[in-house]
């Protein structure tokens, strides 16, 4: 009868409702699982990208730090006696030698002027290569002036000071020529050019260190 059939119909409707609900839950679970899987893949990819990016960035930081250490050997710092410190000492010694020479009328003033001109060139030179060339010119001028004034009959104090200045100048020059700045600069340049981060280093302004030569 219709009355007897109603419970069966209601049961089928309930089962259909449950089935639809179950299918919806299964669908949403699969969807969420898919989203989570995509999220995990994205996270892994992002991590790999960050790691790959960190390698050259870390290398650039190391290169920049090492470059600063090398250039400190040239410019000097609170803790490092640099190439420029040594050059300044030699310029001062040349200046004192000029002062001694000018005290005597026998001095060839053209040689004195040559030393002064060379001194100014050393002071104005900025790049290491230019500073090196100017220092060579100063040494040539100092040598020529000394050869002339060493024959002047100076008083004992001036003669002693003259020889002391000449000895100190060439001693400082010898020390400078044996300085390992150029070796360190060349080693850094090799490391820079062979670094996997070379392209990025150039992009951010990390370049070769110029030799004092």
């Amino acid at each position: 009868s219709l009355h007897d059939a109603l419970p069966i119909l209601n049961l089928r409707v309930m089962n259909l409702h449950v089935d639809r609900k179950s299918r919806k839950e299964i669908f949403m679970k699969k969807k969420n699982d898919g989203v989570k899987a995509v999220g995990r893949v994205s996270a892994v990819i992002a991590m790999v990208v960050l790691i790959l990016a960190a390698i050259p960035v870390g290398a650039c930081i190391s290169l920049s730090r090492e470059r600063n250490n090398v250039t400190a050997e040239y410019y000097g710092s609170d803790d490092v006696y640099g190439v420029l410190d040594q050059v300044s000492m030699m310029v001062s010694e040349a200046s004192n030698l000029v002062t001694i020479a000018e005290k005597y009328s026998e001095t060839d003033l053209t040689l004195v002027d040559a030393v002064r001109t060379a001194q100014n060139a050393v002071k104005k030179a900025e790049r290491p290569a230019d500073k090196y060339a100017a220092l060579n010119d100063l040494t040539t001028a100092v040598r020529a002036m000394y050869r002339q004034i060493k024959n002047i009959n100076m008083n004992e104090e001036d003669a002693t000071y003259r020889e002391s200045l000449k000895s100190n100048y060439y001693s400082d020059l010898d020390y400078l020529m044996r300085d390992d700045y150029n070796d360190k600069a060349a080693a850094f340049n090799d490391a820079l050019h062979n670094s996997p981060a070379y392209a990025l280093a150039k992009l951010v302004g990390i370049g070769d260190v110029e030799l004092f030569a």
Side-chain angles (χ1 to χ4, degrees), residues 37-191:
V38 171
R40 284 194 294 270
V41 172
S42 299
V44 170
I45 292 174
M47 184 178 297
V48 170
V49 170
L50 286 174
I51 292 173
L52 292 176
I55 293 173
V57 169
C60 280
I61 293 173
S62 297
L63 287 170
S64 178
R65 185 182 301 115
E66 182 57 28
R67 192 182 193 282
N68 289 338
N69 291 337
V70 174
T71 55
E73 297 283 337
Y74 178 77
Y75 292 102
S77 67
D78 292 339
D79 304 319
V80 179
Y81 185 77
V83 169
L84 289 187
D85 295 317
Q86 190 72 12
V87 170
S88 295
M89 181 71 71
M90 295 173 67
V91 169
S92 177
E93 289 160 351
S95 180
N96 290 335
L97 196 58
V98 163
T99 300
I100 291 292
E102 287 182 319
K103 292 174 65 175
Y104 296 86
S105 60
E106 301 96 323
T107 297
D108 185 344
L109 295 182
T110 60
L111 298 176
V112 170
D113 290 340
V115 172
R116 281 211 176 96
T117 299
Q119 282 179 293
N120 290 333
V122 172
K123 292 175 182 178
K124 290 178 180 178
E126 296 183 357
R127 294 174 53 242
D130 294 337
K131 188 77 74 175
Y132 178 82
L135 184 65
N136 278 343
D137 291 341
L138 175 60
T139 299
T140 299
V142 166
R143 184 179 293 114
M145 185 180 71
Y146 173 77
R147 278 200 301 262
Q148 196 264 323
I149 66 173
K150 74 177 181 178
N151 297 317
I152 296 176
N153 187 23
M154 297 182 177
N155 65 52
E156 184 178 355
E157 182 180 356
D158 287 346
T160 299
Y161 192 33
R162 175 192 64 197
E163 297 307 309
S164 175
L165 288 171
K166 186 265 293 186
S167 296
N168 289 343
Y169 184 93
Y170 285 107
S171 176
D172 289 339
L173 179 63
D174 179 66
Y175 178 87
L176 186 60
M177 293 301 103
R178 291 185 289 104
D179 188 87
D180 60 358
Y181 164 75
N182 282 341
D183 293 335
K184 292 180 179 179
F188 169 80
N189 293 341
D190 287 342

